Amino acid sequence: MATENKNLSDYDKSALPDAASLRIGVVVSEWNSEITESLFSGAEEVLQDAGILPGNFLRWNVPGSFELVFGCKRMIEKHAPDAVIAIGSVIRGETQHFDYVCSAVAQGIKDLNIQYNIPVIFCVLTDDNLQQAKDRSGGKHGNKGTEAAVVALKMAVLGN
Ligand SMILES: Nc1c(NC[C@H](O)[C@H](O)[C@H](O)CO)[nH]c(=O)[nH]c1=O
Ligand SMILES: CC(=O)[C@@H](O)COP(=O)(O)O
């Protein structure tokens, strides 16, 4: 399993890009909030370790992962952040709805990266069950929110 072999959740604080001059946005889905709040906490810790100023750390909530695309788009247009992290947790149910939500969100976030000159980081867990989500949001496989924040910082300063 890819995650078992590659865990970016352990990071070197001294190697993080300096966030003192950066504005980072985070859009958080309220579905599976136990998971998304853990992901947010992981991301928040990294950004604070990197020295982000409170006024430059923006958080908006949206109802579900499908709304992450619009939420990130509106945040970009309103605040022009240096990077945006989209946080969600999609857990498979009985129907094909899981597949449609996951595909739409992944494609939509990819499109935002192309449409705007701002990195939009895909921190959306797509799991078959709650345990898989727990394992990747502060459990045995680390925290994808932590990883996403490291990626956001690196992409925000890319080419500088
Ligand atoms: N089942 C999950 C959803 N479903 C809701 C959709 O994301 C969306 O809000 C709805 O279709 C209205 O547009 N969302 C998640 O984030 N996680 C799920 O497991
Ligand atoms: C990802 C979803 O929307 C899914 O959890 C909904 O569950 P179901 O497919 O049983 O309606």
Side-chain angles (χ1 to χ4, degrees):
M1 178 187 311
T3 294
E4 281 187 327
N5 302 324
K6 183 179 176 65
N7 183 338
L8 298 177
S9 296
D10 295 327
Y11 62 96
D12 178 357
K13 293 182 183 180
S14 65
L16 290 173
D18 181 5
S21 61
L22 298 178
R23 177 182 301 132
I24 304 291
V26 186
V27 182
V28 185
S29 164
E30 294 170 341
W31 258 79
N32 300 317
S33 58
E34 170 192 355
I35 304 300
T36 59
E37 291 302 327
S38 294
L39 293 170
F40 174 79
S41 295
E44 181 182 43
E45 181 178 3
V46 169
L47 296 176
Q48 290 174 338
D49 282 344
I52 197 162
L53 301 179
N56 287 336
F57 182 33
L58 311 173
R59 172 177 170 164
W60 287 357
N61 291 349
V62 293
S65 291
F66 188 85
E67 285 73 40
L68 286 170
V69 179
F70 183 83
C72 291
K73 179 179 186 292
R74 177 161 287 183
M75 180 174 281
I76 289 168
E77 294 175 344
K78 186 175 180 70
H79 293 294
D82 296 288
V84 180
I85 304 170
I87 291 180
S89 169
V90 191
I91 298 176
R92 190 181 296 276
E94 297 177 356
T95 71
Q96 296 179 27
H97 197 237
F98 171 88
D99 300 307
Y100 288 96
V101 170
C102 294
S103 177
V105 175
Q107 293 305 317
I109 289 173
K110 177 266 292 178
D111 290 345
L112 291 178
N113 280 274
I114 297 170
Q115 182 179 359
Y116 296 96
N117 190 29
I118 292 175
V120 184
I121 310 308
F122 183 73
C123 185
V124 181
L125 299 187
T126 55
D127 299 297
D128 288 326
N129 54 62
L130 181 58
Q131 189 58 54
Q132 286 182 351
K134 288 181 177 179
D135 291 345
R136 290 158 178 77
S137 56
K140 67 179 181 179
H141 293 319
N143 190 322
K144 298 302 182 184
T146 301
E147 299 172 24
V150 173
V151 170
L153 291 169
K154 290 179 177 179
M155 294 305 292
V157 301
L158 184 70
N160 288 355

